[in-house]
Amino acid sequence: MSNSEENAKVTKCDNDEVVELTGHGRYHQLVLVACCIISNGVALDMFGFSIVVTAAACDLQLDIKQIGILASAPFAGVLFAFPWGYYADTGGRRRALLLSTTVGFIFAALSSFSTNWQMMLAFKIIGSSFSSSSFTLVMTYLGENIGSARRSRYLFIMNSMNLASEIVSFGLALFILPLTFHWSVPWLQITLRAWRLFTFIIAVPLGVGAVLLFYLYESPTFLANKGDTEETRKVLRKIFVFNGGDEKEFMIGHLNHSETIKLKEESIWQSLKKQTVPLFQPPLLWSTIQLFYLLVICCTTNNVFLMWYPTMVNLFFNSVSSGSEDMGFCEAVVQNITTDVNAENYVCDDSISLKTIYSGIALGFFFTIINLAASKLASWRRLVLMSCYLVAALSSILVGSLTEPIASMIFFILIQITAIGIGSVSSYFVDLYPTSHRSLVTCLAMMVARMTSFSGVNLLGAVVVSNCNFLFYSWAVFVLSGVAVAFCLPSDRTKSKNNCNNC
């Protein structure tokens, strides 16, 4: 039987199954490459910016509060998560991705030409309001373009590229930031330095991703759900040919779009109300409070110290290298923060210590390996989550009390281990909520966590000089409270959907 005869027998096809009709080939591999580049680009745009702020501190004459404000800027983009989700659901996945990556790249690149910190802040907030949405959009786009047999593997590959962003960012910093060129550009009122080149280069993946999207098509699943049968057929035929098929052999019958008809019966506001209100009413209210709080602890602890990581570690190593080996972590950091930039013997040095860069690369490898190891203990997720909180809390206490440099640095890194618990908390959203509420409650929780991270980054900058040790001790108490809340989660053995009776 020929391929055309087999395809001719297709008379009905559910919307989620349309991608199976094109087979699997070069087009889907190109989609994977584009999505991996965009995913890595978003992570570089957000977390790689912390390296930019550290390297630019001297040239832009930043004080510690200004560093905190700039470091928190990428999190401001999360406030636009809802509008982007709505636009992607109505205008199309590819169109939303193309707009977010293109504008995100433009403003990320423009930030490399900033003449002062206020200009950099404006460029970053505008750019992040576009680029930060690309990560969730690219997951949807990839998932809807890939058949069910390969979908999980492709999403895992893309997420691995996201995790590798710290290795990429610190790896680029290793080769670029030590460069010592200073090229004056009077008409831009700036001096081109290594940190500006680094800023531009880490913006490039977003631009490359946008270019690749020009060669891709809209999600067939989205078009089918929208009820655009004719356009769905055209896109599926193009993908089939891209994969090496003969256009004459491709045939498709009827496409179901009953889901679209159902969605048209109620407005977007009615739908949002129907999905949102039950999350904050019994019986889901306790689960919402509980999981939101646990996710806030995981994300805030990791994001705050990750965004401050290059600055604090660089200050720490600079103090240690100058001979202050018996200082505690806080004393070493504060000593360089309070250096008088107006002093006669002060030399502007915008380089980052090689030890800082090496520790950043090691940080990326360490947490990638730990995350893979933790995935093997998925059946013990509550225990993994509580263990992460305990390690982070103990590490926070030790950072504030130890005076041995290597030990202080190890425990400062271990504070960020709460990132491993994000997967555990996310899995409970699947267990404790009905299917119709899972996506929205997860989005809301992540938005709250990112907003808290935004506040936390600024809080650390405001108090680190005057109350550094107290900050770490207080953070330990904050993280330890998560152990008590996590204890009330359903047992790992039963995976019950009801709230735990331990409390």
Side-chain angles (χ1 to χ4, degrees), residues 288-364:
T288 299
I289 296 173
Q290 186 180 26
L291 295 182
F292 274 38
Y293 185 71
L294 293 175
L295 193 63
V296 163
I297 294 177
C298 288
C299 290
T300 304
T301 302
N302 172 254
N303 291 341
V304 168
F305 290 104
L306 182 60
M307 295 305 290
W308 275 100
Y309 184 85
T311 297
M312 297 187 75
V313 172
N314 195 54
L315 292 169
F316 174 79
F317 279 127
N318 285 341
S319 291
V320 171
S321 63
S322 66
S324 306
E325 297 186 359
D326 294 330
M327 279 188 174
F329 186 86
C330 281
E331 289 77 5
V333 170
V334 172
Q335 173 180 278
N336 273 277
I337 290 177
T338 54
T339 300
D340 185 6
V341 297
N342 296 316
E344 293 183 3
N345 61 344
Y346 176 75
V347 178
C348 181
D349 181 12
D350 55 7
S351 64
I352 294 182
S353 166
L354 286 178
K355 292 181 180 179
T356 301
I357 296 175
Y358 289 141
S359 68
I361 296 174
L363 174 73

Side-chain angles (χ1 to χ4, degrees), residues 269-284:
W269 298 113
Q270 290 174 324
S271 177
L272 283 174
K273 180 180 178 181
K274 182 179 178 181
Q275 289 182 281
T276 305
V277 172
L279 303 178
F280 301 96
Q281 293 177 337
L284 297 178

Side-chain angles (χ1 to χ4, degrees), residues 56-68:
C58 172
D59 191 21
L60 299 183
Q61 298 181 348
L62 305 177
D63 60 34
I64 194 65
K65 291 184 180 179
Q66 292 166 351
I67 290 175

Side-chain angles (χ1 to χ4, degrees), residues 91-121:
R93 320 301 194 199
R94 177 180 172 274
R95 184 181 298 177
L97 260 177
L98 188 57
L99 179 61
S100 64
T101 52
T102 301
V103 179
F105 162 70
I106 291 173
F107 280 94
L110 285 174
S111 66
S112 66
F113 299 101
S114 301
T115 58
N116 52 56
W117 75 273
Q118 293 93 337
M119 182 183 293
M120 178 178 280
L121 178 65

Side-chain angles (χ1 to χ4, degrees), residues 215-228:
Y215 297 94
L216 303 176
Y217 311 116
E218 183 54 83
S219 159
T221 305
F222 168 78
L223 293 173
N225 284 338
K226 189 179 179 182
D228 195 343

